[in-house]
Amino acid sequence: QKEVEQDPGPLSVPEGAIVSLNCTYSNSAFQYFMWYRQYSRKGPELLMYTYSSGNKEDGRFTAQVDKSSKYISLFIRDSQPSDSATYLCAGSAGNMLTFGGGTRLMVKP
Amino acid sequence: GAVVSQHPSRVICKSGTSVKIECRSLDFQATTMFWYRQFPKQSLMLMATSNEGSKATYEQGVEKDKFLINHASLTLSTLTVTSAHPEDSSFYICSAISGSMGSGELFFGEGSRLTVL
């Protein structure tokens, strides 16, 4: 079993839709949780990070962590075609990051 | 924000040759850098952790004699793929920590696509 599981998609939504991206993890030692966005043929860029359980909002993006169920979510409101990318979740224990496989999102105009 | 630069972004080489990829932190000092490999439609696979002034720590299954990592300064780490073969063709990405990992301050380079003919 992978430490971080993520549905690979692709997830196709119409422009303006609310997108929900999810991950599950198994490592109880994870304390920080990150979401990265990766455009095709580019390196990942950090979108958001959260510490322990709770919500964090940044513009159209909301990250949610439920440590009791080991569930991580990223919500995108008013999705745009420019949001089309692969979204990687990751958990951090100490100095190491463990990534999920990524979910490919396609937002159609 | 912090920027990590990777060079070259794309390289094609013949089988048996060696290729060097550079990873630079442009506006911060990075005591720790990471090298990843990513196959198409797959996640990042950590290859090694590079610490300035010391030997890299390789993940299980990664050949340290094939993937030479040098972290000679606080702003530069290099990955050399020695005697490259077609199966080494992949997307190689580096990342660097600005500050402590705990706060998510990990920045990625743009990646280097290696094609071995």
Side-chain angles (χ1 to χ4, degrees):
Chain A
Q1 182 195 9
K2 295 180 182 177
E3 278 196 293
V4 180
E5 297 271 6
Q6 198 173 356
D7 188 325
L11 176 63
S12 182
V13 301
E15 183 176 355
I18 296 174
V19 176
S20 173
L21 301 166
N22 307 295
C23 291
T24 58
Y25 67 94
S26 58
N27 190 338
S28 299
F30 286 161
Q31 290 190 305
Y32 287 90
F33 302 89
M34 293 80 163
W35 282 96
Y36 288 84
R37 177 175 61 195
Q38 185 177 20
Y39 291 112
S40 182
R41 301 181 182 183
K42 298 287 186 182
E45 56 176 327
L46 179 66
L47 269 180
M48 299 182 69
Y49 69 88
T50 53
Y51 174 70
S52 194
S53 285
N55 292 0
K56 189 172 184 178
E57 189 173 321
D58 184 2
R60 296 185 294 113
F61 298 89
T62 300
Q64 200 172 73
V65 176
D66 182 347
K67 290 193 78 176
S68 63
S69 58
K70 294 188 174 66
Y71 201 78
I72 314 165
S73 300
L74 177 70
F75 299 97
I76 306 174
R77 290 183 298 281
D78 188 24
S79 57
Q80 303 294 311
S82 58
D83 294 329
S84 298
T86 295
Y87 290 80
L88 299 157
C89 64
S92 167
N95 227 24
M96 299 302 296
L97 233 58
T98 303
F99 288 90
T103 298
R104 193 153 66 91
L105 171 67
M106 296 188 294
V107 181
K108 297 185 176 180
Chain B
V3 176
V4 174
S5 173
Q6 221 175 306
H7 177 81
S9 59
R10 193 180 290 260
V11 58
I12 300 172
C13 70
K14 291 182 179 179
S15 185
T17 60
S18 295
V19 173
K20 181 185 285 188
I21 301 169
E22 292 185 347
C23 180
R24 292 181 186 274
S25 56
L26 296 186
D27 55 1
F28 65 98
Q29 293 184 327
T31 54
T32 304
M33 290 184 173
F34 302 91
W35 286 96
Y36 303 83
R37 186 171 179 176
Q38 188 176 35
F39 292 102
K41 298 184 181 179
Q42 294 189 32
S43 188
L44 303 170
M45 182 190 78
L46 179 65
M47 297 174 67
T49 302
S50 169
N51 295 298
E52 187 268 336
S54 64
K55 290 184 179 180
T57 303
Y58 290 81
E59 295 299 302
Q60 194 173 12
V62 178
E63 299 174 62
K64 60 181 180 181
D65 294 330
K66 181 166 191 60
F67 298 101
L68 300 179
I69 292 172
N70 184 288
H71 195 155
S73 78
L74 286 171
T75 59
L76 174 65
S77 176
T78 60
L79 167 68
T80 301
V81 183
T82 62
S83 187
H85 287 93
E87 58 265 29
D88 298 324
S89 298
S90 189
F91 194 52
Y92 293 89
I93 305 175
C94 71
S95 66
I97 295 177
S98 170
S100 61
M101 166 65 83
S103 56
E105 294 163 328
L106 181 69
F107 298 93
F108 285 85
E110 290 278 276
S112 300
R113 183 165 301 281
L114 170 63
T115 303
V116 185
L117 302 176

